[in-house]
Amino acid sequence: MTAQNRPGRLKTVFLDRDGVINRDSAAYIKSWQEFEFLPGSLEALRRLTASGFTILVVTNQSAVGRGLISSETLAGIHRNMRSAIRRHGGRIRDVFFCPHVPQAGCDCRKPRPGLILQAQQRYGIDLEAAAMVGDSARDIACARRAGCALAVRVRSGIQDSVQQPPAAVETVADHVAENLLDAARWLMRRSR
Ligand SMILES: [Mg+2]
Ligand SMILES: [Zn+2]
């Protein structure tokens, strides 16, 4: 157990979107009709909000750069997602996304830390009191590179990539949870 694994009270949770909040699709989520909340995610968002966490979504959306979805449609999906979450008592402070294709070499596509750093700048986030929850090695690496205190991997993604070797040190999560609700419970216990 390292010092890094023992943060004080957590204030912020960064969430990946696909495979964490909603069911992922290999064909990308291109419309609100294709957006389906994963079991327990709305409840998790309600509980995290009630516990006082600032919740920020950081998501790779290369479907925009691939021309599969417009920025306007993506913005509409996020508006609908946030109002559904609000109706269930949760609150997403903001959504940061990378619209670029992998070959673009941008600094915001996870595992690069750009999205988290943008959020940090805009909202003055203390990364030593922040955790990241994601379903892929990329999310964990992004959290490490940005300097988040904790990184949690969930198994609710398309494939359980947790099992895939070899795991580079930076992609090893502090905790593996079944889904966002399980991860939220762990973080809330951890943060007390
Ligand atoms: Mg994901
Ligand atoms: Zn980008």
Side-chain angles (χ1 to χ4, degrees), residues 32-180:
W32 177 241
Q33 287 67 37
E34 292 174 349
F35 188 100
E36 182 194 347
F37 283 100
L38 282 165
S41 70
L42 286 165
E43 173 64 10
L45 289 159
R46 186 187 69 73
R47 290 194 197 184
L48 288 168
T49 301
S51 300
F53 285 91
T54 295
I55 304 168
L56 294 153
V57 172
V58 287
T59 175
N60 286 352
Q61 292 298 326
S62 68
V64 175
R66 294 174 205 273
L68 297 170
I69 177 178
S70 69
S71 321
E72 291 71 26
T73 304
L74 182 65
I77 290 173
H78 289 156
R79 259 196 314 276
N80 290 339
M81 174 184 85
R82 291 169 78 174
S83 59
I85 289 168
R86 222 178 297 122
R87 282 197 300 278
H88 285 83
R91 179 171 184 248
I92 301 283
R93 179 78 169 274
D94 209 342
V95 176
F96 293 83
F97 65 92
C98 165
H100 309 112
V101 292
Q103 315 85 270
C106 67
D107 60 11
C108 48
R109 184 176 164 83
K110 296 177 285 182
R112 299 204 176 98
L115 294 178
I116 288 182
L117 299 179
Q118 282 174 32
Q120 180 200 24
Q121 284 202 349
R122 191 169 309 167
Y123 295 106
I125 304 297
D126 175 7
L127 294 175
E128 287 177 10
M132 166 84 194
V133 181
D135 68 322
S136 77
R138 248 184 241 157
D139 298 314
I140 307 307
C142 171
R144 298 292 183 224
R145 294 181 192 184
C148 291
L150 287 173
V152 178
R153 187 95 157 247
V154 289
R155 295 184 187 273
S156 48
I158 286 184
Q159 81 281 13
D160 183 4
S161 47
V162 176
Q163 307 288 353
Q164 289 178 354
V169 171
E170 68 170 5
T171 67
V172 176
D174 295 297
H175 181 67
V176 178
E178 285 310 308
N179 54 33
L180 183 54

